[in-house]
Amino acid sequence: MTGPQGVGIGWRSEIAGFVAELPGLRFVEVVAESLSPGNPLPAGLAGLRERGVTVVPHGVRLSLGGADPVDPARVTHLARVAELVDAPLVSEHIAFVRAGGLEAGHLLPLPRTREAVAAVVANVRRARAELPVPLALEPIAALFDWPDDELDEADFLTEILDATDAELLLDVANVYANARNRGEDPHALLDRLPLDRIAYVHVAGGAEYGGLYHDTHTDPVPTEVLELVGALCAGRRPPALLLERDGHYPPADVLRAELDALATAAGHPVVT
Amino acid sequence: MSPTHPVESAPPPGPVGLAARQAALVAALVAGAPLPAGFATDRVDAARRALLRKRAGEVARHWPLLAAGLGDTWPATFTDWASGRPTVGSLRDGWDLARGLRDRDALPPLGAQELAAREATHRYDGRHPPRRRRLPALARSGDAVALQVAGRVRLLRPARR
């Protein structure tokens, strides 16, 4: 299957009907843990595959940044899902989601230390040994940093990518959120990231609570994030950008307008 | 200062090594453990509250009638219950909450019906994942009574109030 191209959307069962009717759609992402390799694909997703739409499995619970070795059963599941949808690549996060026997229920940031770089790199290698396709890594949005960071966000990411053969899944909304919540310039952070490693891009909405920007995926995409997309695409335009929406789904025309705004900001054809 | 005098101002030694440090942070976020030294308390607290909001949404998807029955009070009811209580998965989180509300007569009728239907189809001991019942079963929750035969559930009596 070809790599992700153009403007895509995160496939969720709640919006399967909407996604099925997007005439120009060439790629979607599906949460890997939501699929069972032993069962047939959900009808909506199977229909997209028949149309030749690229499906990228996106893992959220591998915990690649955990100090412990990644769970082989979770890697196997991701590998089987990749085969099930004939994926050109899979993606996961630079984060941990459990430790000490407790599930955090969310993607948590790593301390930006060399010890953490080594833990991620080791887990990426373990995963890659099992996966039939390349792996793209996504830096997360975090509301806090660890107290003893040795590296800044750009250097931390660059060290991980340089030590692995992983590609970059760049979430522009996460870049915006992290820079803004540190009181820094999102464009300056973007410029320092290893953009030449981008496989595809995430864009999502968020909202401000108590002075902090939260990457909610349940709110509209802010103008500032679309401007950052424009700045990114004014350089070397990434081959694909994907809108993530995970709840509080708006009416179809509003969602269509968000996809159109993303296509316009990126300079890709509209898919609606 | 004499060597035997306790040094009160020194922070307690934090966990050492990535595994221990990650475990301490997760425990602080989801299990009410103290936050390791050095973190910005207000930022971690914002993350903890965002996490509870996210969990509330996920549990509401597994227990739509319970959440609908509680209406505007759902987010606060859930986050009060879940704060300091690590998740055991959205299905069991909602189940445990619904039973807790039932036991103190605070379960709304819609939630009672949803709980009765779940109890009729699955056996759940509160400690292990629920298991599907093979035999027909009758379950009540408050006034609500649900009957399950061959995997199909019928509400015999709705909850009143």
Side-chain angles (χ1 to χ4, degrees), chain A residues 24-88:
Chain A
L25 188 69
R26 294 163 71 191
F27 104 101
V28 297
E29 200 181 57
V30 61
V31 174
E33 287 83 354
S34 73
L35 295 183
S36 309
N39 295 332
L41 282 180
L45 213 46
L48 293 175
R49 283 297 303 121
E50 282 162 24
R51 271 169 57 188
V53 173
T54 297
V55 178
V56 177
H58 183 55
V60 295
R61 304 197 58 190
L62 266 193
S63 205
L64 286 172
D68 300 323
V70 65
D71 178 358
R74 292 184 186 278
V75 178
T76 302
H77 180 273
L78 182 56
R80 294 295 89 77
V81 167
E83 288 163 358
L84 182 68
V85 300
D86 191 19

Side-chain angles (χ1 to χ4, degrees), chain B residues 134-160:
Chain B
R134 294 198 182 156
L135 300 175
L138 199 62
R140 334 169 167 263
S141 176
D143 297 323
V145 180
L147 171 70
Q148 174 267 127
V149 179
R152 308 187 85 137
V153 186
R154 185 194 289 179
L155 196 64
L156 296 186
R157 193 170 69 200
R160 289 183 297 247

Side-chain angles (χ1 to χ4, degrees), chain A residues 14 65-67 96 99-100 102-106 108 110-111 115-116 119 143-148 181 209 212 214, chain B residues 17-19 21-23 25-27 29-31 37-40 43-44 46-47 50-51 53-54 58 61 86-87:
Chain A
E14 293 93 332
F96 74 108
L102 290 178
E103 293 285 332
H106 198 58
L108 295 179
L110 300 175
E115 185 186 17
L143 292 171
F144 61 89
D145 289 316
W146 288 66
D148 59 341
N181 288 338
Y209 297 104
L212 289 176
H214 290 248
Chain B
L18 187 61
R21 299 178 70 216
Q22 289 182 336
L25 178 64
V26 175
L29 278 170
V30 305
F39 282 95
R43 291 301 189 95
V44 177
L51 184 57
R53 281 197 298 273
K54 180 172 173 244
E58 289 168 358
R61 274 197 284 284
T87 183

